[in-house]
Amino acid sequence: MQALFEKAKYASKLVATLDDTLRNDILRDVAQAIVDNKERLLKANQQDLARMERTNPLYDRLQLTDSRLEAIAADMRNVATLPSPLGHVSKERTLPNGLRLRRVAVPFGVIGIIYEARPNVTFDVFSLCFKSGNACLLKGGRDAEQSNTEAVALIHEVLRKRGVCPEAVTLLPSTHEATAQMLNAVGYVDLCIPRGGRKLIDFVRNTARIPVIETGAGVVNTYFDINGDLEMGRRIVMNAKTRRVSVCNALDCLLVHAQALDNLQRLDELVAPLAEKNVVIYADERTFAALDGKYPHLQHATPESFGTEFMDYKMALKAVDSLEDALAHIDRYGSGHSEAIITADTAAARRFQASVDAACVYWNAPTSFTDGAQFGLGAEIGISTQKLGPRGPMALEEITTYKWLIEGSGQTRP
């Protein structure tokens, strides 16, 4: 492991000096290699899938398909078209003594990523780190070991053909020991970004001796206000919950204004589309009474139903008496990821957006849009839920730091 860290550190110095045109050409080459080697990548992925039960919520995250590989390649090509964040001057001034100061964007160096059963992350992280001049250490989970190994092997083949050191991307062993060693690799790893559930993120935060940016855990709520549009609500709730249940922007709890239970004609109209996907609803006392006998997959909520990231075809449902109650619920149970309000009341929407403490706050749109590509940022490394440093989708600009460049002509300080 020590040797791997040393090689990654050395590679980071070389990657930082590459011409951006070469970086873009390599990204396009890797994208084409993904398309040309679909069968090889899918075969490795099938080996991983064979070890996981289809009922496991992580199965969808783990699975690669022909169309998903095409999308991964398309995202990588898109990253190649984005302007380089490196060298961007964010501040510039000349002091009265003639010293010229510039604050310039530069790579972090070595970025370590810890992630679970998501092989697409391997390609996304490489594209963003490489484009921004960083080397990356990848620590995937055992569930995706074959998929990640084949993906990194493919990237290495392209790098070697282009004369670039393959250690620009390094796959670490899928062991807990490797995680612990990376989290303690002071002087070698400049930044660690965990992508996964709350248990993983808490472990990384409590263990790391290197800088960490928290991403991933998403307990997502949507509030249907008294002035919400029923048809719009049906579409938004359906998309937010069922588009991809295993991702961090998926809806976990629907809050409905108590008076809207009557104004909606029937609450079951709002949630009826979810029955098509067999979504289990864990309803509180009031919403259970409104849906009893009208929704086929209804269960009583427990205290654990709220504040749970389901990553499955499951959702909590709760009636609230006011916007203030909805805000209090989100403040207690939300994870700072993505929250939404459905309403025609502009004042209520503005108050919701101003009051909710989350990286992404939506008005009349589903939380499924929380994604770097959807925000026009290319791919993303993750969704940062913390306040110090980057927040929300972490794309190219968010994985660079800066340094001050000072030019003088012999000035001395009095």
Side-chain angles (χ1 to χ4, degrees):
M1 291 293 291
Q2 179 73 15
L4 293 178
F5 296 151
E6 290 175 355
K7 290 178 180 178
K9 191 68 174 179
Y10 176 75
S12 72
K13 305 295 185 183
L14 301 179
V15 174
T17 62
L18 293 177
D19 179 75
D20 193 53
T21 299
L22 177 58
R23 288 197 194 96
N24 294 336
D25 288 342
I26 289 173
L27 290 179
R28 294 188 186 97
D29 287 352
V30 174
Q32 189 58 48
I34 292 170
V35 174
D36 293 342
N37 291 273
K38 285 181 188 175
E39 184 176 343
R40 167 182 167 187
L41 295 170
L42 292 175
K43 181 179 179 181
N45 186 240
Q46 283 299 320
Q47 295 176 35
D48 291 327
L49 290 170
R51 298 193 302 271
M52 181 179 287
E53 294 292 334
R54 282 184 172 272
T55 55
N56 190 321
L58 295 179
Y59 191 91
D60 177 64
R61 284 188 175 190
L62 175 61
Q63 187 174 32
L64 292 175
T65 64
D66 189 281
S67 61
R68 286 183 181 181
L69 288 174
E70 288 281 358
I72 291 169
D75 284 344
M76 192 170 292
R77 293 191 188 97
N78 184 44
V79 171
T81 68
L82 298 174
S84 172
L86 301 178
H88 173 70
V89 179
S90 54
K91 288 186 179 181
E92 185 173 11
R93 65 173 64 101
T94 300
L95 302 181
N97 62 6
L99 284 178
R100 182 188 176 205
L101 280 66
R102 289 179 296 145
R103 195 173 77 175
V104 181
V106 296
F108 269 101
V110 178
I111 297 180
I113 311 293
I114 303 173
Y115 55 110
E116 295 168 332
R118 299 186 68 172
N120 64 296
V121 171
T122 301
F123 290 115
D124 290 346
V125 167
F126 164 72
S127 65
L128 288 170
C129 285
F130 192 72
K131 173 77 175 183
S132 58
N134 294 290
C136 57
L137 290 171
L138 306 176
K139 169 55 184 68
R142 286 192 179 94
D143 290 333
E145 187 168 12
Q146 297 303 316
S147 303
N148 291 334
T149 298
E150 205 61 45
V152 171
L154 191 66
I155 295 170
H156 283 175
E157 291 168 13
V158 174
L159 291 175
R160 289 191 181 97
K161 287 179 181 178
R162 285 286 188 168
V164 175
C165 56
E167 289 80 14
V169 51
T170 300
L171 181 66
L172 300 180
S174 58
T175 63
H176 294 302
E177 291 76 15
T179 301
Q181 289 185 58
M182 185 175 79
L183 294 177
N184 286 278
V186 177
Y188 296 101
V189 182
D190 298 285
L191 176 66
C192 177
I193 304 174
R195 289 192 57 166
R198 174 54 55 192
K199 184 177 179 181
L200 170 64
I201 292 172
D202 288 345
F203 171 78
V204 171
R205 186 201 310 114
N206 296 331
T207 305
R209 294 177 59 224
I210 57 177
V212 173
I213 292 179
E214 298 179 27
T215 74
V219 179
V220 175
N221 303 274
T222 293
Y223 168 53
F224 190 91
D225 188 42
I226 188 172
N227 294 306
D229 179 87
L230 175 59
E231 187 53 42
M232 179 189 294
R234 284 161 57 92
R235 297 196 307 270
I236 289 175
V237 170
M238 180 67 171
N239 187 257
K241 176 68 260 183
T242 68
R243 179 190 167 271
R244 286 192 70 183
V245 297
S246 62
V247 293
C248 57
N249 58 28
L251 176 61
D252 295 300
C253 180
L254 175 63
L255 305 171
V256 180
H257 194 292
Q259 293 182 35
L261 297 181
D262 298 325
N263 296 345
L264 284 174
Q265 295 103 29
R266 296 193 308 261
L267 174 61
D268 58 300
E269 290 188 19
L270 179 62
V271 299
L274 299 176
E276 302 170 13
K277 297 286 188 177
N278 299 316
V279 175
V280 177
I281 292 180
Y282 298 93
D284 73 339
E285 184 177 343
R286 286 187 286 181
T287 56
F288 188 95
L291 288 178
D292 194 15
K294 300 175 183 178
Y295 187 83
H297 313 292
L298 189 65
Q299 295 189 25
H300 286 283
T302 66
E304 291 72 29
S305 300
F306 306 106
T308 293
E309 184 181 15
F310 287 106
M311 295 189 295
D312 202 350
Y313 288 94
K314 299 176 181 179
M315 184 186 80
L317 177 64
K318 181 180 180 180
V320 292
D321 293 312
S322 63
L323 172 61
E324 289 73 17
D325 285 350
L327 292 172
H329 177 96
I330 291 171
D331 187 56
R332 178 177 178 181
Y333 294 106
S335 64
H337 192 291
S338 300
E339 310 289 356
I341 183 173
I342 303 168
T343 186
D345 185 339
T346 299
R350 295 304 184 202
R351 183 177 174 196
F352 184 90
Q353 290 189 306
S355 300
V356 167
D357 186 10
C360 302
V361 186
Y362 292 82
W363 174 19
N364 289 344
T367 54
S368 52
F369 279 107
T370 301
D371 176 87
Q374 293 296 314
F375 280 20
L377 304 175
E380 68 174 44
I381 278 190
I383 308 297
S384 171
T385 55
Q386 65 183 43
K387 299 180 183 179
L388 183 63
R391 198 178 195 194
M394 293 185 60
L396 291 172
E397 291 184 12
E398 289 72 28
I399 53 173
T400 60
T401 182
Y402 60 80
K403 62 183 176 185
W404 289 90
L405 302 181
I406 304 96
E407 298 176 16
S409 54
Q411 294 94 328
T412 58
R413 182 172 175 175

